[in-house]
Amino acid sequence: LYGVRDNKNEWLYKEFLTEFFEQNPQNQLYLSCSREVFENVEKPNNIHFFKGYVQDNLPKSVIEKSPKILLCGNKSALGK
């Protein structure tokens, strides 16, 4: 599960992740887009886009395992 603003413009490590998932079709990437999900974005079949914030889309089964979570973003907006 990876969070971005949108699936077209604001996607850090886009080339790396796209290449990795093209070469590893057994893995899945779920891209959580907080602003907008653009249609017709070229991607491998194992990358899935959906609208919403990462924290709202974490499965309960993941949260119950006490994962380590890395948050990235605009430091002036974090924690507000």
Side-chain angles (χ1 to χ4, degrees):
L1 182 59
Y2 185 66
V4 297
R5 288 186 179 175
D6 67 60
N7 63 329
K8 188 175 181 182
N9 304 309
E10 301 284 336
W11 186 356
L12 191 61
Y13 306 117
K14 181 178 182 176
E15 290 177 14
F16 171 79
L17 290 169
T18 301
E19 184 177 315
F20 175 84
F21 285 94
E22 282 176 347
Q23 295 173 0
N24 297 281
Q26 73 279 11
N27 295 315
Q28 303 288 316
L29 173 63
Y30 296 90
L31 197 70
S32 182
C33 305
S34 62
R35 303 290 191 275
E36 188 169 359
V37 177
F38 291 95
E39 300 297 325
N40 302 321
V41 172
E42 191 172 321
K43 65 176 183 59
N45 290 332
N46 56 340
I47 296 180
H48 313 281
F49 301 134
F50 55 94
K51 181 143 174 48
Y53 293 102
V54 170
Q55 65 270 26
D56 297 332
N57 292 305
L58 282 173
K60 196 173 203 173
S61 60
V62 171
I63 295 170
E64 290 171 350
K65 294 180 182 179
S66 301
K68 290 179 174 64
I69 299 174
L70 174 65
L71 296 175
C72 300
N74 181 337
K75 67 180 180 178
S76 65
L78 288 173
K80 287 187 177 181

